């Protein structure tokens, strides 16, 4: 009886905030989170509906009017979009920039992160400090000197130049992230693999890469989203005749301000691709973030 009374007293002494939080953790909180999620998705939903409406309907009323007049929905805008050579070529250009820039950063960053974590070489700690120092260098500082350098070597306004720029500025973060993640791998596991005759390359491929999968997936998602959505670097270094999708949409706004029937579906397509990549790897991304938080 005493125990129960003590428990009741302890329960009664709980702070008001804790009791409110405990009660809110049920259905009410879930409803609230769903409403917040819907509110957060509102611009995306509005863009999707606008991309399925004609230019006249878009100019005449807001996108929410489609719920009272669903006959406005049409796929004609997407037909015009994919008949627009500027937009389709810009999508291809964006893919040719984003995929190599992401793959190179992941591969080189993984190799360098493993080397800094587990390989001994002269000046290893000093070189890692240099990498950490490069993290604070803003992209804007390098635009003018790198532009002159690319112009001197003949890669200005080329896809290779844009990829090279993104790789150079993506590697410091990649090396820093993966080095810290790889350093948490138990040393005994690596030593056991070496005793079994595994060399550094085999050790990296067969042991380190599978264990570092969540961190590598997180890095790949970050790099992909950054390069795909970039406009500043693409505006300066990309080919002006065949720009990435961000620059192409900006040019459409500047040249054809009333061309909303192309801009809306173009903006939605440029947004849905990185979203699809994120949701495809969201499990690995969450695992990597949680592993980093625990460590």
């Amino acid at each position: 009886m005493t125990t129960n009374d003590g428990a009741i007293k302890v329960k009664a002494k709980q702070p008001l905030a804790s009791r409110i939080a405990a009660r809110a953790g049920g259905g009410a909180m879930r409803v609230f989170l769903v409403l917040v999620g819907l509110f957060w998705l509102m611009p995306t939903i509005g863009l999707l509906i606008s991309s399925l409406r004609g230019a006249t309907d878009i100019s005449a009323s807001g996108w929410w009017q489609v719920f009272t007049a669903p006959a406005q929905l049409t796929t004609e805008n997407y037909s015009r979009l994919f008949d627009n050579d500027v937009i389709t070529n810009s999508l291809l250009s964006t893919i040719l920039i984003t995929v190599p820039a992401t793959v190179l950063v992941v591969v080189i960053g993984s190799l360098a992160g493993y080397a800094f974590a587990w390989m001994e070489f002269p000046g290893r700690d000093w070189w890692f400090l240099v990498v950490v120092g490069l993290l604070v260098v803003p992209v804007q500082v390098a635009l003018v000197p790198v532009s002159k350098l690319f112009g001197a070597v003949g890669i200005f306004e080329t896809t290779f130049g844009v990829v090279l720029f993104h790789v150079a500025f993506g590697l410091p973060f990649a090396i820093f992230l993966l080095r810290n993640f790889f350093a948490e791998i138990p040393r005994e596991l690596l030593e056991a693999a070496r005793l079994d005759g595994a060399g550094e390359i085999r050790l990296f491929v067969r042991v380190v890469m599978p264990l570092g999968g969540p961190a590598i997936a997180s890095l790949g998602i970050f790099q992909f989203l950054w390069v795909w959505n970039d406009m500043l670097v693409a505006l300066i270094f990309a080919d002006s005749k065949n720009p990435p999708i961000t620059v192409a949409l900006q040019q459409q706004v500047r040249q054809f301000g009333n061309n909303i029937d192309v801009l809306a579906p173009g903006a939605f397509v440029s947004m849905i691709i990185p979203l699809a990549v994120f949701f495809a790897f969201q499990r690995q991304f969450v695992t990597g973030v949680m592993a980093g938080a625990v460590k």
Side-chain angles (χ1 to χ4, degrees):
M1 186 69 180
T2 304
T3 304
N4 294 336
D5 293 340
I8 293 174
K9 291 180 180 179
V10 172
K11 185 175 180 181
K13 292 181 180 180
Q14 287 183 346
L16 178 61
S18 299
R19 283 180 285 166
I20 294 176
R23 293 179 181 179
M29 178 58 69
R30 292 172 185 167
V31 172
F32 174 75
L33 292 177
V34 169
L35 293 176
V36 171
L38 291 175
F39 181 78
W40 190 266
L41 290 174
M42 194 70 68
T44 304
I45 297 172
L47 181 61
L48 172 60
I49 295 176
S50 297
S51 69
L52 295 172
R53 302 175 72 206
T56 304
D57 295 328
I58 295 175
S59 302
S61 60
W63 60 266
W64 52 87
Q65 297 296 327
V66 75
F67 295 107
T68 57
Q72 295 179 358
L73 297 177
T74 177
T75 59
E76 184 178 355
N77 291 345
Y78 285 92
S79 300
R80 294 179 182 177
L81 174 71
F82 293 110
D83 288 338
N84 189 322
D85 293 336
V86 175
I87 299 297
T88 53
N89 291 336
S90 67
L91 283 172
L92 179 60
S93 177
T94 306
I95 294 173
L96 293 177
I97 292 172
T98 305
V99 173
T102 303
V103 172
L104 287 174
V105 166
V106 169
V107 173
I108 299 174
S110 299
L111 292 171
Y114 171 73
F116 279 115
W118 293 109
M119 296 181 67
E120 297 290 341
F121 55 89
R124 183 185 69 173
D125 295 337
W126 287 106
W127 281 112
F128 185 68
L129 289 177
V130 171
V131 172
V132 174
L134 291 174
L135 288 171
V136 302
V137 177
V139 175
Q140 294 80 358
V141 173
L143 294 178
V144 174
V146 174
S147 299
K148 295 180 179 180
L149 177 63
F150 282 7
V153 299
I155 59 174
F156 188 72
E157 287 198 350
T158 63
T159 299
F160 176 74
V162 182
V163 172
L164 186 61
F165 190 96
H166 282 301
V167 171
F169 275 86
L171 277 177
F173 175 73
I175 296 172
F176 176 77
L177 174 68
L178 295 180
R179 182 264 180 191
N180 293 338
F181 193 91
F182 292 160
E184 298 295 332
I185 297 176
R187 182 181 295 272
E188 295 78 9
L189 184 62
L190 302 180
E191 291 177 352
R194 290 192 178 99
L195 290 175
D196 290 338
E200 294 297 338
I201 296 178
R202 185 177 180 183
L203 182 63
F204 174 76
V205 175
R206 301 294 295 273
V207 178
V208 176
M209 288 290 285
L211 292 175
I216 294 173
S218 300
L219 172 64
I221 291 174
F222 278 124
Q223 180 68 11
F224 186 92
L225 295 179
W226 176 48
V227 178
W228 183 277
N229 293 320
D230 169 74
M231 182 175 177
L232 177 62
V233 177
L235 188 63
I236 296 175
F237 293 98
D239 186 0
S240 57
K241 296 180 181 179
N242 189 22
I245 185 65
T246 52
V247 179
L249 291 175
Q250 184 267 341
Q251 292 175 349
Q252 291 283 318
V253 173
R254 183 179 59 190
Q255 295 177 4
F256 310 105
N258 59 351
N259 201 12
I260 190 64
D261 55 333
V262 173
L263 293 175
F268 185 78
V269 169
S270 68
M271 180 183 64
I272 200 64
I273 293 177
L275 280 178
V277 172
F278 174 79
F279 284 117
F281 296 97
Q282 65 173 337
R283 181 174 299 178
Q284 291 83 355
F285 176 78
V286 173
T287 303
V289 172
M290 293 300 295
V294 172
K295 293 174 182 178

